[in-house]
Amino acid sequence: MHHPTYRTCHEFGGLFLTPMLTRYVRALAEQPGTFTPVCLAREGWLLQQLLEHLQQQQLLELPSAPVYVKVSRTLLFRALLGEPELWPVALKNSFNGKVSELFSSRFGLQRHEYESVLPSELLEQAINLPEDMDQLVSRVSEFNTPLQALVAPTRAGVCAYFQQQGLADAEKLLLLDVGYSGTIQKLLTRLLQRDTHGFYFIATKPGAAKVDQHTAFMQGTFKEGVALGDGYHLLDRSLFIECLLTAPHGQVVDIRQEHDGRFRFYYGRKAATQRHFQDLQAVHHGAVEGVAHALRHGVDYSVEEIELLYKTFLSSRSALPPGVWHLFSADDDISGNGIVNPLDLFAI
């Protein structure tokens, strides 16, 4: 006998997530050639569980077993800190506050770390990104060498972890994620020094992007070439998807390899979804069972149906069961906003 909360969350997962995940999985199965599906970041947690379940049930055939890789923009920004090519990428998003707060939230540095490299007058400086980007790049670039030395253990840990997960040896990497502009993919392309392919819910800039001597190819399943603020609900309010497609752990902010070869992961703070992961797991169970049922019985959903359903669910708070409201919480530390609640953010 399941608790009422479990039933509410389970049913919601089946209704809210099943259509988009079914279409995504069907599109994935149509991808040509041999590839290794790499389930990225916190969203990849559910994607890996889903793909493995569908394979076990013989409802899906993939050329290789899916791999789950714990990664985040913060982790990759930290690993590449001090690289001249990183600054324009890492500082283009909005931020308002002190330089010290920026290095803490966006690069995952602790106070003793940034104070050991950067002068106090720079750390105390108030900045507004992206307006002050050029001025800040010019200033912090003076410290590229000591910053690279500071994060060398992180970079070594990240590269060893990627090697262990088979990212360096796989014939073709197909990176699975919600999307959108492929920042994580481009950073991975730079770190791995190899071509990558991104397979997203939405790709804001589809096609090929040059990264050093390599290429990051990106494609979207539901929509391509749409920008944030264009009025496309699945993108503009994608925070709701990200809240639900998350892992029991918080955002990974550092990886270190121990002497015995094992890896130690360091995580950021937990949002409500991590604190109430048993409820989120019920949402996931409902979604996985829903997709399995759809594939078993030949059910598919059009992109138009998915868009309409999403818009309907988010039209008013009453369209969402009160039993799942507490799951809509996400950290937006990358922009310096801390924990945000999309229900409040979008006044639903």
Side-chain angles (χ1 to χ4, degrees):
M1 186 74 174
H2 284 302
H3 190 276
T5 304
Y6 178 92
R7 284 202 303 275
T8 299
C9 293
H10 186 276
E11 287 171 9
F12 178 70
L15 290 169
F16 189 76
L17 292 178
T18 291
M20 65 180 78
L21 290 174
T22 299
R23 178 84 295 273
Y24 183 72
V25 164
R26 286 190 178 280
L28 174 63
E30 292 162 6
Q31 290 299 293
T34 302
F35 58 84
T36 298
V38 181
C39 305
L40 284 183
R42 280 172 292 179
E43 291 92 334
W45 169 270
L46 175 58
L47 294 178
Q48 189 210 22
Q49 314 285 315
L50 174 63
L51 296 180
E52 287 188 342
H53 178 77
L54 296 176
Q55 282 183 304
Q56 286 163 6
Q57 298 292 309
Q58 298 184 322
L59 295 168
L60 180 69
E61 223 174 284
L62 293 171
S64 302
V67 179
Y68 174 55
V69 176
K70 293 180 183 177
V71 71
S72 70
R73 281 186 295 176
T74 300
L75 173 70
L76 298 178
F77 284 165
R78 180 185 171 101
L80 288 162
L81 195 56
E83 297 281 337
E85 300 85 1
L86 176 71
W87 295 122
V89 179
L91 301 179
K92 67 181 180 184
N93 288 351
S94 62
F95 177 87
N96 200 341
K98 292 182 181 179
V99 171
S100 59
E101 294 162 350
L102 175 76
F103 274 85
S104 170
S105 62
R106 194 159 296 184
F107 299 97
L109 296 190
Q110 295 179 48
R111 183 175 175 175
H112 69 89
E113 291 178 314
Y114 56 68
E115 285 186 345
S116 71
V117 174
L118 301 172
S120 55
E121 74 272 10
L122 173 58
L123 291 169
E124 285 301 307
Q125 190 178 321
I127 51 159
N128 192 11
L129 295 176
E131 290 83 353
D132 299 334
M133 185 172 82
D134 292 344
Q135 176 196 339
L136 185 61
V137 168
S138 160
R139 190 77 175 86
V140 294
S141 293
E142 299 171 32
F143 305 94
N144 279 348
T145 302
L147 283 169
Q148 286 178 35
L150 175 69
V151 300
T154 296
R155 185 164 182 155
V158 166
C159 291
Y161 171 59
F162 289 165
Q163 182 83 36
Q164 184 213 53
Q165 296 298 89
L167 301 196
D169 307 319
E171 186 181 328
K172 174 184 173 182
L173 297 180
L174 192 64
L175 309 177
L176 312 186
D177 200 355
V178 175
Y180 309 91
S181 61
T183 302
I184 286 179
Q185 181 184 350
K186 290 168 193 166
L187 295 171
L188 281 173
T189 305
R190 173 157 284 135
L191 266 174
L192 295 167
Q193 285 297 298
R194 59 167 299 173
D195 292 350
T196 59
H197 299 256
F199 186 71
Y200 301 127
F201 281 25
I202 299 164
T204 55
K205 293 176 181 172
K210 289 300 287 180
V211 180
D212 301 333
Q213 304 307 307
H214 300 278
T215 307
F217 299 92
M218 287 164 272
Q219 69 180 106
T221 304
F222 306 139
K223 193 82 166 175
E224 292 185 331
V226 64
L228 196 64
D230 280 356
Y232 187 65
H233 251 61
L234 278 174
L235 177 59
D236 288 352
R237 300 194 173 185
S238 56
L239 204 50
F240 289 92
I241 301 174
E242 292 172 35
C243 287
L244 298 179
L245 266 65
T246 193
H249 55 77
Q251 175 175 245
V252 60
V253 294
D254 201 359
I255 299 174
R256 300 294 174 92
Q257 188 170 26
E258 306 283 17
H259 295 300
D260 61 5
R262 287 188 294 187
F263 295 95
R264 183 188 292 270
F265 296 90
Y266 297 85
Y267 302 102
R269 60 180 158 178
K270 294 184 174 183
T273 38
Q274 276 83 42
R275 293 196 305 275
H276 300 284
F277 199 74
Q278 73 282 1
D279 295 341
L280 191 63
Q281 208 143 31
V283 173
H284 290 179
H285 289 162
V288 170
E289 287 173 22
V291 176
H293 182 271
L295 295 190
R296 196 175 283 117
H297 296 282
V299 176
D300 197 3
Y301 299 87
S302 70
V303 173
E304 292 75 21
E305 287 172 326
I306 293 164
E307 291 165 351
L308 179 62
L309 185 69
Y310 196 72
K311 199 168 187 176
T312 303
F313 261 119
L314 302 183
S315 59
S316 73
R317 197 173 286 229
S318 60
L320 296 164
V324 303
W325 290 356
H326 64 294
L327 296 178
F328 293 110
S329 160
D331 68 69
D332 191 25
D333 280 339
I334 210 87
S335 300
N337 296 326
I339 301 290
V340 294
N341 180 331
L343 288 168
D344 297 333
L345 191 66
F346 296 108
I348 291 174

